[in-house]
Amino acid sequence: DAMVIQNPRYQVTQFGKPVTLSCSQTLNHNVMYWYQQKSSQAPKLLFHYYDKDFNNEADTPDNFQSRRPNTSFCFLDIRSPGLGDAAMYLCATSRDRGRASEQYFGPGTRLTVT
Amino acid sequence: GDSVTQMEGPVTLSEEAFLTINCTYTATGYPSLFWYVQYPGEGLQLLLKATKADDKGSNKGFEATYRKETTSFHLEKGSVQVSDSAVYFCALLPTNFGNEKLTFGTGTRLTIIP
């Protein structure tokens, strides 16, 4: 089945130690998104790629970076994780832009910062 | 800006009860509307969608109708099951091309008791 895959499902990192989360997709979608979801809150968009074009949200901290080396993979890098960055990180994809382009989500990576 | 207002939770119902989760939105033009479901420890799954006024989205016994006149997209199910226990998010995608930012409601936690 075509799908959005996130690895690992659970990640523990130390305060200030860089960490990378991975997302891959077999849907061949043009757009990939990263969301942060804190406990009992709605997901918050960090940034997205339309093909190779990177689009950052205005309120995304500089501590968060992303890479998309090819269509299938997208990475979220947190350069110096703080305790406040502990959250579920969700990757999503959509076929294209536009109002009817529904987003498909992966299972998420739960990040713990110690 | 765009916003989604969802019924406050948590909601607890007995099995086979009728479910309504209210959702209203504020947006310019004709956004696309979605309901996502999130099971414990999982990512978001698209439950149903509607892209224009009077459209009815349906899936797995759930339904929601896009009401432009009341700016609403209420989720309903005639007979809930224990397996429907999850958090439900209403979301909109704006009309303007190139703005792929899903705006989510705060989520409604639903618990079904046998």
Side-chain angles (χ1 to χ4, degrees):
Chain A
D1 286 341
M3 53 198 301
V4 181
I5 302 159
Q6 289 188 246
N7 286 306
R9 294 291 309 276
Y10 301 90
Q11 176 75 56
V12 180
T13 191
Q14 293 177 339
F15 183 95
K17 184 175 181 180
V19 64
T20 295
L21 308 182
S22 169
C23 177
S24 64
Q25 53 126 342
T26 61
L27 297 160
N28 202 32
H29 282 175
N30 286 322
V31 194
M32 295 188 78
Y33 310 79
W34 279 104
Y35 289 85
Q36 179 192 64
Q37 186 182 25
K38 295 190 175 179
S39 182
S40 302
Q41 297 183 19
K44 178 179 179 294
L45 182 64
L46 296 173
F47 25 59
H48 76 273
Y49 274 94
Y50 177 69
D51 194 12
K52 295 179 181 179
D53 182 25
F54 178 70
N55 298 269
N56 198 27
E57 292 298 303
D59 56 356
T60 298
D62 292 340
N63 199 26
F64 291 84
Q65 305 286 321
S66 186
R67 296 170 284 134
R68 188 179 186 187
N70 54 52
T71 300
S72 300
F73 283 87
C74 194
F75 300 98
L76 169 62
D77 301 308
I78 308 177
R79 293 192 297 186
S80 182
L83 297 179
D85 297 328
M88 173 80 89
Y89 289 88
L90 298 168
C91 175
T93 73
S94 64
R95 178 176 300 282
D96 210 328
R97 289 174 158 174
R99 55 193 298 277
S101 287
E102 60 208 54
Q103 295 183 19
Y104 296 85
F105 284 79
T109 295
R110 182 165 296 284
L111 178 68
T112 300
V113 181
T114 60
Chain B
D2 298 339
S3 66
V4 175
T5 301
Q6 250 183 271
M7 177 175 170
E8 292 266 341
V11 173
T12 303
L13 295 172
S14 296
E15 203 166 21
E16 299 184 2
F18 184 87
L19 168 71
T20 300
I21 301 178
N22 289 337
C23 171
T24 57
Y25 68 90
T26 302
T28 55
Y30 290 84
S32 294
L33 300 173
F34 305 87
W35 276 101
Y36 283 89
V37 58
Q38 186 173 33
Y39 298 100
E42 299 293 325
L44 276 68
Q45 297 178 25
L46 178 65
L47 184 58
L48 52 83
K49 72 172 186 178
T51 59
K52 61 183 187 296
D54 300 325
D55 263 3
K56 177 186 281 189
S58 61
N59 186 25
K60 300 181 181 179
F62 290 90
E63 292 183 340
T65 301
Y66 189 144
R67 301 285 189 202
K68 180 67 176 173
E69 63 276 13
T70 54
T71 62
S72 65
F73 193 54
H74 304 321
L75 182 67
E76 296 182 336
K77 186 176 185 183
S79 177
V80 293
Q81 305 300 314
V82 172
S83 57
D84 294 327
S85 299
V87 180
Y88 292 79
F89 290 95
C90 184
L92 72 80
L93 197 61
T95 304
N96 47 317
F97 184 83
N99 183 356
E100 285 72 43
K101 185 172 181 177
L102 270 175
T103 297
F104 287 93
T106 53
T108 301
R109 181 175 301 277
L110 174 66
T111 302
I112 308 300
I113 53 177

